Amino acid sequence: MGSLLRSEEMTLCQLFLQSEAAYTCVSELGELGLVQFRDLNPDFNAFQRKFVNEIRRCEEMERKLRFLEKEIKKDGIPMLDTGDNPDAPAPREMIDLEATFEKLENEMKEVNSNSEALKKNYLELTELKHILRKTQTFFDEAEFQHQAMHDPYLGEETMGLLGEESQRSGQPLRLGFVAGVIGREKIPAFERMLWRACRGNVFLRQAEIDKAMEDPVTGDQVLKSVFIIFFQGDQLKSRVKKICEGFRATLYPCPETQSERREMSIGVMTRIEDLNTVLGQTGDHRHRVLVAAAKNIKVWFIKVRKIKAIYHTLNMFNLDVTQKCLIAECWCPFADLDRIQQALQRGTERSGSSVPSILNRMSTKQEPPTYNRNNKLTQGFQNLVDAYGVASYREINPAPFTIISFPFLFAVMFGDMGHGLIMFLFALWMVIREKQLQAKKIDNEIWSTFFGGRYIILLMGAFSMYTGFIYNDVFSKSLNLFGCQCDKDYTPASLDNNQHLQLNPNGSYTGTPYAIGLDPIWSVALNKIAFTNSLKMKTSIILGVSQMMFGVALSFLNHRYFQRPMNIICEFIPQVIFLFCMFGYLCILIFHKWTHYTSDMAGNAPSLLIGAINMFLFNYPKHSKLIYSGQPGFQGFLVVIAVLCVPWMLLVKPFLLRYQARYGQPFDFADVMINQGIHTIEYCLGCISHTASYLRLWALSLAHAQLSEVLWTMVMRLGFMFDGFIAPFMLVIVFFFWAGATVIILVVMEGLSAFLHALRLHWVEFQSKFYKGEGYMFQPFSYEHILDHGGEEN
Amino acid sequence: MPELSFNIDHGYLEGLVRGFKCGVLKQADYLNLVQCETLEDLKLHLQSTDYGNFLANEPSPLTVSVIDDKMREKLVVEFQHLRNHCLEPLATFLDYITYSYMIDNIILLITGTLHQRPINELISKCHPLGSFEQMEAIHIASTPAELYNAVLVDTPLAPYFIDCISEQDLDEMNIEIIRNTLYKAYLEDFYNFCKNLGGATAEVMCEALAFEADRRAFIITINSFGTELSKEDREKLYPRCGNLYPDGLSKLSQAEDYDQVRQVAEYYASYRELFEGAGTNPGDKTLEDKFFEHEVKLMKQSFMHQFQFGVFYSYVKLKEQECRNIIWIGECVAQRHRAKIDSYIPIF
């Protein structure tokens, strides 16, 4: 087993597989998931390859399975997922599978078409039932109106001229009508069209059907209305019928007299009842078929996808001249060659072939893929690194260092025991219930992001509790665990009266420090921020410079591993000197100032900031305080060394290369020079800007502490202000508000922001010192991967 | 400066349509497609393009009409997505694109009912982009006036129809005239709309629509030879927004045979090229194909401009051409008639 520090050693292999054994061998390799096949026929179209017919058959099977799955889902039958992983079936079993699916599909289709016909019949009958019921009221009204029209008392003078005429002609008003059912949303357009096409000579009545009806084809619920149209004459009749057809209204015969209608209605009711029983029987049959299919469908899917994957892989192979043997090329980890050999042996045995499969190592100039063996804890951190760029083959992998440094830098910005605890507990819950949660397969992007990073969050929470302990912050309050080490002047009584306490360490300090972390007395002092700022700023610089120095040191390991001594002399050494002269020295001064200046000397301690500026300007005013004698001289020396490192980095390597290439090898000096110039400028400016960039550790930490303090004073403290019986209720309300805001703003939002900043510090400030990230990922042929991704890849 | 605020309203959709455009099949894809032996091969190759699994759920055996339906469905889904997310004036612009499909549908339905075809069969042949509510009731109309009063008056096509209202019965000739009059009014209206939008949209779209208008004028003229359409009537059908207007159109209206049409085209550099390249001998490209090629060229150019609506129009047109190409290749493959399989019109 290799380590995580460098990616696995890979080797290119050639495989000779007997044609009859190739299928089983590839199947075994798929279960193993350790080889990445190369496509040896990149110029061939998908449909010109050897096993295209088999793939097509698999696709056809998949289509049938998808059809069955859709039907199963439609009926809401649970699909049994036993989690077992059947082997890829032998090629000859494919025919059995095909026959099974074919039979099921046909059966399903038959059942569907039967039930569709029945449902259509049922729908028609229900519609007819509604028509008979609703039209009754229409006719009743019409009857009434008709009577009103012939009412003798209506007075002749109110009758129009035409009305008089029609009466005189003595013909009774003979109206025809059609009745039918139409989709409710089409009614307005339907009405308008009727009016226009028949010039207002028809009379439409409509009533809504309350119950939604099922469309037999799509299975959707649709709302419909009953309508009845009265008109006069045959021409209008045909026209009305055409319009009805155009709007997909279904027309039904409706008898004219009430008794006939009643009779029909009774007939319809009995037929509906008959149909209901038949429908129930077809439904049961369908259910039985589907339940039987649901038991096996997952296993079938796995089998078909495995077959398909095997043939896809076989399509990448070459046939040798004798056509008896398939040739494949693949990348595989050197350490696993034995396991691969064994898998091949198993495959050959299973196929019953007598000729063994042969695995040959090949030498190649191609860059091998990068393969890191991760476990579930390291995988999350590896993903963070890979998101920036996959490591070049065998270069140092930052992931193992990231496992500690990432949560730590996060925690520096997020330091609060309370918030850290919430984060830690949430991650712990995900880690403990890992198996159950994984089995649920929740397909939510946000959730899967959090779940995928559960170990990162766990560590981030734990580290935040630690830094919170050092900062002595729990939801912005301090703990007094070891006894406050300040003068007895500050008693609770005296603190209550002193609203503007400025803590002066000089004089109030007892002499023995608070055991671990920040003395809790600072939490009541007004100058707390001034104190913590100084502390956190300096810590940030120290952490930053050490991480960058570590990064540069890793570049040394890379140079040594790849045997590039020139890079060590021309890049690594000047880089270390440059970084040390500028910022390593500053860190030493910080430690010196912490250890050598006591609180009573604080008043005349030299300022490091001014000191650093003076150092680069070579300017030491007379009254400036020096830390040690000879400081100007030594600092001047450091700056000169650092400046000298720049041409060292810039010029030495290109000229050395040109010297080496003096015997006429092709060599582009300008190209090398520009390249080196870019790297030099990047490094030198980078050192300065990256150091400044690490100050974000302080800035975010300050922001986080202040925000949580604001939340406490502006919200939670209100809860303590009430008196009397209302106090407990208000306290509860205020508490919930405060707790919600804490989780949403301080834990989630601030956590995300600190996460991004920590990520940036690793990608840019740390990895730029040594990491190339120009490799490509090892993507082995693995059933596990193919099945997890639903076989959607081609 | 409409460019300044263009992206606020339409930037997302422009980006989307430019992304869709990248999925238009390339020359390399066509080279692969013409090598197909069966429609199944065609499907397999289309799967590796942006069409993805659009045929995965179709049972074998595959037919060309299924491929056609599915491709059209994909375009319609994309178009509807654009239409549902757009703001004015892009919304109106996209509606204008659908009007041409509405005209086609109306003509299809009237012709169909004239030949006593059942309406359901016709409806399934209609382009979904041009469907409208009253469409299916179109067969109640027997004269253009009825057609207008009963069906078209509520549709956006109503103003285009004013010129064809008459009490004559609908017959073949009549329908052709209606189609061309509608198209003429539509093109002119669309042209003016784009011109009023101004900016890069006007620049790109006026060129595209001018070409469309001229193409129609040429085709109408050529198709009218040997029919009873009089010269005056013919002149009324020419869309008057192209490069041919006014001189070219008046000359065209006097043309009596193909050579005279060609002489008119001589005066216009871009059209001269098309007529010169076209021929009826085997191996030559037809005039129709030359027009399509020129259209593809114009549409591709419109993607060079930014902050304009022309890309939406161009995308639909290019996709239509792509459908025609694939169907052509599909038909050649299905009928095992490979001699002319290369006469598709490559896009990129």
Side-chain angles (χ1 to χ4, degrees), chain A residues 672-705:
Chain A
V672 175
M673 196 65 214
I674 289 172
N675 207 10
Q676 193 68 15
I678 291 170
H679 281 297
T680 309
I681 293 171
E682 192 196 338
Y683 182 78
C684 296
L685 292 184
C687 275
I688 298 164
S689 68
H690 291 173
T691 310
S693 176
Y694 273 102
L695 284 175
R696 74 184 69 230
L697 292 175
W698 153 63
L700 264 97
S701 165
L702 171 72
H704 186 79

Side-chain angles (χ1 to χ4, degrees), chain A residues 45 48 56 196 239 246 248, chain B residues 32 35 41 136 146 154:
Chain A
N45 283 329
Q48 287 167 333
R56 220 167 258 159
R196 287 208 180 108
R239 182 161 280 212
R248 299 188 185 219
Chain B
N32 281 328
Q35 291 175 30
D41 290 350
E136 297 179 30
E146 273 181 339
D154 279 335

Side-chain angles (χ1 to χ4, degrees), chain A residues 180-183 186 190 227 241 243-251:
Chain A
V181 173
I182 190 171
K186 286 185 187 162
F190 182 58
F227 65 88
K241 279 195 165 163
I243 295 177
C244 291
E245 194 187 339
F247 280 84
R248 299 188 185 219
T250 29
L251 297 181

Side-chain angles (χ1 to χ4, degrees), chain A residues 508-522:
Chain A
S508 57
Y509 175 50
T510 56
T512 45
Y514 187 72
I516 304 173
L518 205 65
D519 196 311
I521 188 68
W522 284 106

Side-chain angles (χ1 to χ4, degrees), chain B residues 58 63 65-66 80 82 106 127 263:
Chain B
E58 292 307 317
T63 60
S65 68
V66 171
Q80 298 293 10
L82 296 174
I106 291 171
H127 199 293
Q263 271 164 21

